[in-house]
Amino acid sequence: MPLWQLARVQHRLAQQLGRCTTRLCSQSASAGVPYETTLKSDDAGPSSVPSEADVVVIGGGSVGCNTLYHLTKLGVSNAVLLEKAQLTAGTTWHTAGLVWRLRPNDVEVELLSHTRDLCQDVLGKETGLDTGWINNGGIFIASNKERLDEYQRMMTLGRNYGVESYVLSPEETQKIYPLMNVSDMYGALYSPGDGTIDPAGFCTTLTRAAKKGGAKVVENCSVTGIQVKEDDYGTKRVFGVETSHGTIKTKAVVNCAGVWSPYIGQMAGVAVPLIAMHHAYVVTERIEGIQNMPNIRDHDASVYLKLQGDALSCGGYEPNPVFWDKVDKDFAFGLFELDWDVFSVHVEGCVNRVPVIERTGIKSTVCGPESFTADHKPLMGESPEVRGFYLGCGFNSSGMMLGGGCGRELARWIVNGRPTLDMYGYDIRRFPTCQTSDNRWTRERSHEAYAKNYSIVFPHDEPLAARNSRTDPFHEVLLEAGCVFQERHGWERPGYFTPQGPTPIPDYDYYGAYEDLPANEVNLYNDRLRDDYTFDFPKHHDVIGKECVACRERAAVFNMSYFGKYYLTGPDAQKAADWIFSNNVDKPPGSTVYTCMLDKTGGIESDLTVSMISSGEGSAMDPSFDGKDLHAVGGGSAQRNWSHITDILQDNRFNCQLADMSHDMGMLSIQGPRSRDILQALTDTDLGNEAFPFSTNQVITMAGHRVRALRLSFVGELGWELHIPKDSCVPVYKAVMEEGAKHGAVNSGYRAIDSLSIEKGYRHWHADIRPDDTPFEAGLAFTCKLKSSTPFLGREALEKLKPQGLQKKLVCFTIDEHVPLLGLEAIWRNGVVVGYLRRADYAFTLGKSIGYGYVRDPEGGKVTADFLKAGDYSIERMGVVYPATIHLKTPFDPQNNRVKGIYADNGNVKAASL
């Protein structure tokens, strides 16, 4: 009998004999884990806590220790770390400790690089201790073309950050790893700089260095309460931490308690949306010839094989993980009994990849708790519920490899008010509070993210879990019209419209992984998603193209109801708006302004439109108020926008209020040369250029219903946004579509918006523009009122940056080769990588692929128009380099005639044929 099967039989016998399924004592725990579980310590630690601290970090795992260390590097000499047991006792001590340098995400590549630098170089020099870093490299296995395409995208992105990697053939892979079976491989990605970290060694060096910087570490100290007070303006703020050793007065608490983080959050009234699950690996007996081999990730088999001295640690992500529903508050240095019925799904993949494992014994099994989140990304940043309460948890078994980079950014967040990198993908404010407090959403999405952790990251994939939680009034009528929905911020928004009929999204079935939850027999939505599982043009490429062509030639109707819609009112509304928004919003009612919101460094926190309105009839669409009212509308970062604005109002004590009306109004956008003809037939209001100029708003009657109309465009056409009371949404929509049919109007979705907006050069927040970009770099200087004397947040930083010139510049590229660009492709200038594409798409009007990316001078010089025009450019896509054309202005309608309603031949324009 193979030794893997023998281990499973032993497990079943143990169950029959009634053995305990959980090991809680440190002795049995350390017997299973291939690490030292006791950290080297300078002293036994204090028996009491200080009376006050600048920052209190709760949790002594990888993230907590990294955060403490980086706080001291920023000059915080009075930081305290509290650990209920001993350092690493939660989940850190039993981690596999793998570090992979390449991810399909630019920010994560930087975060991982910092962790590696700490382990390989920085900490050892600071402390004289060994961090336990082993640089043995890593291999990603591809069993099919799509997987290798993904790896080539990662390799291309890595070039921008100096990450050495190579795409290998099966034969080349076997030369590096002779014990590997390569008969079923398509190829591999080899990253020589990958490795492993010893948890105890890493955390020892971190805390040793932090103590030298003045920090205190208090072990065997339980947190019993978080003191929160409400100030005179109704803002909840942290002011203390209660412990078993006394109370610490503080204004900043960092929740790094891992699977126990929800308990800490409850103490402060903060939702922490993560789920605890059993996560396991096994350690083999000695394998001859395995020494110094790289670590392996076989994503298609959902397994990893990590070098462990002269053995292998083998684990993965199964479709039916075990939930730990009742998290034991006192659990420390504990393990669960491995459930071989669950873990056995990984056996075939491990044995297939390294066949010698089948003839090798199992030295130990490790099954411990790990925390998982809805999108398999950590939860970080200041909570929206309580000021001064920060999250650093939910690391999805990646706390060791991400700990260094995330600890640094979290420390910057606390000390400077913002991280340096774009951390929106980890920011707790990426989720609306209605989701973070929804247990069904957390559980379903966390399961799906766990089960799909090793799945290929396709550009247009969507979740199946926890869908239809936020739907707007148009949902059912658009579903019947063939809408294939996307999920953003909990909302269902149109992706594209298929001619194949309705595509409903059924309840989540956990992929049929659990016996008590049968799989959905029919799932048309999942079938449509599979059409997008490609790095080539999808099957419905022409369907999206027809929507784009209709918008350019006739008209398209977009449902944009998921946008956040806020009213800012009160005595200080104008004063607050002047400070919050970079553009001049001190304008008469009826004006609409496109603007940015910046942080104190000049980074772009958001872009949105602000409309000045008059007091009206008292409805959600036309509110009644005293003084001045500003109506702000932003996209899919609504929760973050809300938190950014409310934080400013609170910190500056502005006497005004922000009201969220997102659920009370729908929003239709009618765009294209025929949009005016369609809408004019439904209203008595004059929609002509003089009566209704671009960038203005009016309350009008449309198809017998009162709506607020804004003449705006996000696709570069003549068009209007209609903000409609929810009870009037469907009647107005039906009237628009009935009249629109006479002019060739069609329903259209966000896949078309993505294409139309990029060929026009309109920016997308968190793609083209992020907090690590300034308006100067992004070509949005026109949104900043620098010629006025009005102060605004970020102005001082911009005034200092302006005379220095640009270190990077967002520019447009097109290629003539008929291949898709998806983003993350490397930009080459004169044979040197100078950046990568932040966003890319196919421009149907231009008939070619297009992308935007920031270009830098590799020699550190200023990026000027002359510098940009002097270069010879190409774009590297999946290892293939294509000649590219740079455009310093949008190649589509650079004079902005179309948004002004100026069309050649009275609107009879033709888009490029499909």
Side-chain angles (χ1 to χ4, degrees), residues 181-444:
N181 166 36
V182 299
S183 62
D184 60 344
M185 281 175 49
Y186 194 88
L189 178 66
Y190 175 47
S191 177
D194 293 353
T196 60
I197 305 174
D198 169 60
F202 190 29
C203 291
T204 293
T205 53
L206 287 167
T207 52
R208 175 77 64 86
K211 289 175 182 178
K212 288 182 178 179
K216 297 179 178 63
V217 176
V218 186
E219 298 180 292
N220 299 306
C221 180
S222 298
V223 173
T224 57
I226 306 293
Q227 295 179 346
V228 176
K229 282 187 177 180
E230 194 171 294
D231 64 20
D232 295 339
Y233 284 76
T235 305
K236 294 181 179 180
R237 298 181 185 273
V238 167
F239 77 97
V241 177
E242 298 170 356
T243 80
S244 55
H245 287 63
T247 298
I248 307 173
K249 184 179 179 180
T250 186
K251 294 182 179 180
V253 169
V254 194
N255 185 0
C256 300
V259 298
W260 298 270
S261 294
Y263 289 131
I264 303 299
Q266 289 172 7
M267 296 176 186
V270 172
V272 181
L274 60 80
I275 291 290
M277 299 183 193
H278 294 199
H279 192 54
Y281 62 88
V282 300
V283 183
T284 71
E285 298 286 358
R286 184 178 188 275
I287 299 176
E288 185 63 38
I290 205 68
Q291 296 77 10
N292 302 316
M293 290 295 100
N295 304 313
I296 299 174
R297 258 190 173 179
D298 190 337
H299 289 96
D300 295 310
S302 197
V303 297
Y304 66 82
L305 300 100
K306 171 210 161 189
L307 182 69
Q308 191 65 54
D310 58 2
L312 287 176
S313 293
C314 307
Y317 291 82
E318 59 278 355
N320 58 335
V322 177
F323 292 93
W324 193 23
D325 290 319
K326 295 182 179 179
V327 176
D328 184 350
K329 294 181 182 180
D330 298 322
F331 193 95
F333 287 118
L335 293 174
F336 309 110
E337 197 72 34
L338 180 66
D339 187 336
W340 277 94
D341 290 336
V342 174
F343 188 83
S344 61
V345 69
H346 303 310
V347 173
E348 182 178 351
C350 291
V351 170
N352 175 66
R353 191 53 57 214
V354 182
V356 69
I357 292 176
E358 188 173 23
R359 304 186 302 276
T360 305
I362 305 302
K363 181 164 55 179
S364 60
T365 64
V366 179
C367 183
E370 289 281 4
S371 58
F372 295 92
T373 65
D375 55 2
H376 218 75
K377 303 289 185 185
L379 308 175
M380 294 179 63
E382 190 175 30
S383 75
E385 299 100 329
V386 178
R387 303 294 302 279
F389 189 93
Y390 294 85
L391 301 177
C393 52
F395 274 78
N396 304 278
S397 75
S398 296
M400 185 60 58
M401 73 171 82
L402 289 171
C406 287
R408 180 189 65 183
E409 295 305 308
L410 190 50
R412 291 171 173 173
W413 223 322
I414 297 162
V415 174
N416 301 326
R418 65 178 297 275
T420 300
L421 299 180
D422 167 41
M423 298 298 288
Y424 176 69
Y426 290 6
D427 191 338
I428 182 61
R429 297 173 298 172
R430 70 188 184 273
F431 301 130
T433 53
C434 64
Q435 283 185 313
T436 59
S437 57
D438 184 343
N439 291 332
R440 169 183 166 268
W441 172 81
T442 303
R443 187 181 185 88
E444 288 189 6

Side-chain angles (χ1 to χ4, degrees), residues 13-261:
L13 287 173
Q15 286 183 321
Q16 294 171 5
L17 293 172
R19 280 176 50 186
C20 178
T21 59
T22 306
R23 302 202 299 264
L24 295 177
C25 66
S26 60
Q27 181 180 1
S28 61
S30 59
V33 175
Y35 298 117
E36 293 290 337
T37 58
T38 303
L39 277 68
K40 304 175 183 68
S41 180
D42 297 323
D43 52 61
S47 59
S48 62
V49 296
S51 60
E52 60 181 353
D54 295 324
V55 183
V56 175
V57 179
I58 301 172
S62 168
V63 180
C65 292
N66 270 290
T67 303
L68 185 75
Y69 166 80
H70 285 95
L71 283 169
T72 63
K73 291 301 173 185
L74 293 177
V76 179
S77 59
N78 187 21
V80 177
L81 185 149
L82 304 176
E83 166 56 49
K84 68 177 182 181
Q86 291 81 46
L87 296 182
T88 75
T91 61
T92 293
W93 71 281
H94 60 70
T95 180
L98 290 159
V99 176
W100 314 97
R101 300 182 70 195
L102 291 174
R103 293 283 185 102
N105 177 289
D106 57 334
V107 173
E108 288 188 356
V109 173
E110 293 193 61
L111 295 172
L112 292 166
S113 292
H114 182 65
T115 299
R116 181 177 179 272
D117 291 344
L118 281 177
C119 294
Q120 183 169 279
D121 185 42
V122 176
L123 287 172
K125 291 180 179 177
E126 282 191 38
T127 64
L129 298 176
D130 182 6
T131 62
W133 169 252
I134 299 174
N135 195 156
N136 60 315
I139 297 176
F140 287 1
I141 306 299
S143 300
N144 52 69
K145 179 182 181 299
E146 288 75 19
R147 181 68 75 179
L148 193 62
D149 286 345
E150 179 184 41
Y151 293 164
Q152 288 175 322
R153 277 169 54 80
M154 292 162 59
M155 178 189 69
T156 301
L157 175 64
R159 292 195 198 283
N160 189 65
Y161 296 98
V163 178
E164 180 187 8
S165 63
Y166 308 93
V167 170
L168 305 179
S169 68
E171 294 74 21
E172 291 170 326
T173 306
Q174 194 169 49
K175 289 180 181 178
I176 296 174
Y177 203 117
L179 295 180
M180 185 186 299
N181 166 36
V182 299
S183 62
D184 60 344
M185 281 175 49
Y186 194 88
L189 178 66
Y190 175 47
S191 177
D194 293 353
T196 60
I197 305 174
D198 169 60
F202 190 29
C203 291
T204 293
T205 53
L206 287 167
T207 52
R208 175 77 64 86
K211 289 175 182 178
K212 288 182 178 179
K216 297 179 178 63
V217 176
V218 186
E219 298 180 292
N220 299 306
C221 180
S222 298
V223 173
T224 57
I226 306 293
Q227 295 179 346
V228 176
K229 282 187 177 180
E230 194 171 294
D231 64 20
D232 295 339
Y233 284 76
T235 305
K236 294 181 179 180
R237 298 181 185 273
V238 167
F239 77 97
V241 177
E242 298 170 356
T243 80
S244 55
H245 287 63
T247 298
I248 307 173
K249 184 179 179 180
T250 186
K251 294 182 179 180
V253 169
V254 194
N255 185 0
C256 300
V259 298
W260 298 270
S261 294

